[in-house]
Amino acid sequence: MMVMTTRHANKTEAMAMSMSMAIPTLPNEVIAEILSRLPVKSLGQFRCVSKPWLSLLSDPHFIKMHLKQKLSHKLFMYFMFWLKIQSLDYEALVSGDDDEKSAVKNLQLPVAMGSLRGVRILGSCNGLLCLGIGDNGIIMWNPCIGEYKRLQEPSGLGSYGFGYDCCNDDYKLVKVIPRNGSDEISVDVFSLKTNSWRSVCYGGHSFDLLDDRGTLLNGSVYWQAKREDTKETKFIIVSFDLVKEKFRELPKPDSKFAEGPLLGVLGESLCACRSLFGKDVEVWTMTEEGAKVSWIKFATVSLEMEPEYIREYSVPLCFAKNGEAIMLKGGLQLDAYNLKENNYRRIYISPIGHCEFDGTVYVESLVSPNAYDGAHSQSPRIGENAQEKVEE
């Protein structure tokens, strides 16, 4: 009996050795390249395959490689006021691969609140959402991997901008607070890398930002703004460079923009929108050559049949892969605009009557808000759920 067992064990070992010789071992670079093309949910399952894979999937270089692959597939993350948080795969709706039910996913905040009344989107960058949660401060949250970081903020009402500083490999949140009754403004910047706030000196002309949150593009945040001169109120566009931490004043597209335009992004260009003659929406794109800024009228979208609140609040979000421009209209619907044929089609509308939603473009990524301090135990791993109780 002992002999039989020994022979069986030897046979099993020989088979295993034969299989290992038959299956070629791929170079680590090839494995990383293959895995970088997979969705985050699949990578969450692969963390359990082996310690080397766990190490690879947690490596900052791999996380950046994966992010680069996913930047071309964006989602629309939105908060339906007071009711729910959802993500929408607009690419699936544009291409017709999925119906609306399949394209929409419900999400849950990592902190428990009685309602979403006090939640505000402050920014979105590389899979991180920056959210204001009422009187309980701010969280940086990656809903795809379930990790988040809480931070307190300087007191006072202000406008926000959130983005990535590529030179210092840092995510920054800027808060601009006007100093009522004076010519100064307060500028505070939170660095995720140092986990701290610091004040930034601003010595230029005072201005009031008209947007609660800025529009992020290529390492700078843009806001509508106005400045009170001695003779008139001047409407301008203001940008903040997240690397240099400097403000810059930009001109409006033309004098017909009596007030600050609605800002958005298409491709690699900043866009400014305005309602024209109560029936059309003009979309202008900004180009830069050195220090010179110029604007070109990119498109005119006919919205004569739409209600006024739709025309007045139409903002381009991004291009879909098929070249159509995705536009958020009136805080109630998403449309895909065909530039060649000069027409549009509705791809999503608020399912609850006139319940508006506040949304932003979002990408699924492995970027952790706790990467710089190694505190990955604050919240669950990919695919799990947990909530921290927050008093309202």
Side-chain angles (χ1 to χ4, degrees):
M1 186 71 175
M2 187 68 176
V3 175
M4 291 286 292
T5 304
T6 303
R7 286 179 179 174
H8 180 72
N10 291 338
K11 186 177 181 180
T12 302
E13 184 177 345
M15 289 177 62
M17 185 177 296
S18 176
M19 290 178 64
S20 64
M21 293 175 64
I23 301 175
T25 302
L26 295 175
N28 290 336
E29 294 80 5
V30 176
I31 294 175
E33 180 66 28
I34 294 172
L35 293 178
S36 70
R37 299 173 184 272
L38 298 179
V40 173
K41 186 176 181 179
S42 297
L43 296 180
Q45 298 169 342
F46 292 160
R47 292 166 65 99
C48 304
V49 169
S50 65
K51 288 185 178 179
W53 277 33
L54 174 61
S55 177
L56 170 64
L57 298 177
S58 305
D59 181 78
H61 177 72
F62 175 80
I63 291 174
K64 291 179 181 178
M65 181 190 299
H66 179 266
L67 174 64
K68 188 177 180 179
Q69 295 283 357
K70 296 302 173 184
L71 284 176
S72 63
H73 188 95
K74 298 180 175 66
L75 304 174
F76 181 66
M77 184 75 64
Y78 62 95
F79 286 66
M80 196 170 296
F81 290 140
W82 312 340
L83 297 173
K84 61 180 68 176
I85 313 169
Q86 294 179 320
S87 69
L88 174 71
D89 187 348
Y90 61 81
E91 289 285 3
L93 295 180
V94 168
S95 64
D97 292 340
D98 283 329
D99 58 17
E100 185 177 301
K101 186 176 181 181
S102 302
V104 175
K105 295 181 181 178
N106 290 316
L107 301 172
Q108 188 177 33
L109 275 179
V111 293
M113 299 184 68
S115 74
L116 300 179
R117 186 183 298 269
V119 178
R120 295 171 297 148
I121 300 175
L122 306 182
S124 171
C125 180
N126 294 348
L128 291 180
L129 287 174
C130 194
L131 304 177
I133 50 174
D135 296 328
N136 298 288
I138 294 172
I139 62 171
M140 289 187 186
W141 175 40
N142 183 330
C144 207
I145 64 174
E147 293 192 13
Y148 71 99
K149 185 183 190 71
R150 294 194 62 185
L151 51 139
Q152 298 302 316
E153 63 174 317
S155 60
L157 297 175
S159 298
Y160 298 84
F162 177 59
Y164 180 63
D165 173 354
C166 61
C167 291
N168 297 295
D169 187 27
D170 194 8
Y171 289 88
K172 295 178 177 179
L173 173 67
V174 57
K175 182 176 183 180
V176 183
I177 306 174
R179 294 294 189 187
N180 295 328
S182 72
D183 292 332
E184 298 180 354
I185 58 174
S186 170
V187 184
D188 297 293
V189 175
F190 177 83
S191 162
L192 190 60
K193 199 170 189 177
T194 63
N195 193 31
S196 62
W197 287 91
R198 55 190 172 78
S199 296
V200 174
C201 180
Y202 173 69
H205 296 288
S206 179
F207 52 78
D208 292 321
L209 298 182
L210 303 179
D211 300 316
D212 291 336
R213 73 167 184 266
T215 300
L216 176 66
L217 177 66
N218 296 333
S220 292
V221 184
Y222 298 82
W223 297 269
Q224 304 175 76
K226 68 176 181 178
R227 189 172 64 235
E228 301 288 348
D229 291 337
T230 54
K231 297 182 179 179
E232 62 178 351
T233 298
K234 186 178 181 181
F235 290 92
I236 56 176
I237 297 172
V238 171
S239 70
F240 182 81
D241 188 312
L242 291 168
V243 175
K244 300 177 181 179
E245 297 186 348
K246 299 289 185 182
F247 280 100
R248 182 184 177 195
E249 184 177 318
L250 305 171
K252 296 181 302 181
D254 66 15
S255 59
K256 294 180 182 178
F257 281 80
E259 297 183 359
L262 294 177
L263 301 179
V265 172
L266 284 178
E268 295 298 314
S269 299
L270 183 73
C271 295
C273 300
R274 68 167 177 195
S275 178
L276 184 67
F277 306 127
K279 61 178 182 178
D280 297 331
V281 172
E282 286 186 351
V283 180
W284 294 63
T285 58
M286 186 182 77
T287 59
E288 293 186 75
E289 294 182 7
K292 183 180 178 181
V293 173
S294 59
W295 291 88
I296 301 173
K297 187 162 69 171
F298 178 71
T300 300
V301 184
S302 178
L303 299 178
E304 187 173 1
M305 304 303 294
E306 297 281 17
E308 183 178 355
Y309 64 87
I310 295 291
R311 297 193 300 268
E312 294 290 339
Y313 298 98
S314 295
V315 182
L317 297 174
C318 58
F319 280 120
K321 292 179 181 179
N322 68 353
E324 290 183 303
I326 305 301
M327 298 187 69
L328 173 63
K329 294 185 177 179
L332 291 171
Q333 62 197 43
L334 285 180
D335 288 355
Y337 177 64
N338 188 309
L339 301 174
K340 294 180 179 180
E341 299 179 6
N342 195 24
N343 58 34
Y344 65 92
R345 57 195 173 99
R346 191 137 307 143
I347 60 173
Y348 183 75
I349 190 167
S350 174
I352 309 176
H354 290 283
C355 180
E356 295 185 7
F357 46 76
D358 182 23
T360 184
V361 174
Y362 167 80
V363 296
E364 294 186 336
S365 81
L366 295 169
V367 176
S368 170
N370 302 303
Y372 298 110
D373 53 24
H376 291 266
S377 60
Q378 189 173 6
S379 53
R381 289 185 177 179
I382 301 169
E384 299 177 2
N385 287 304
Q387 284 193 324
E388 172 191 347
K389 180 63 177 177
V390 175
E391 298 298 332
E392 291 189 274

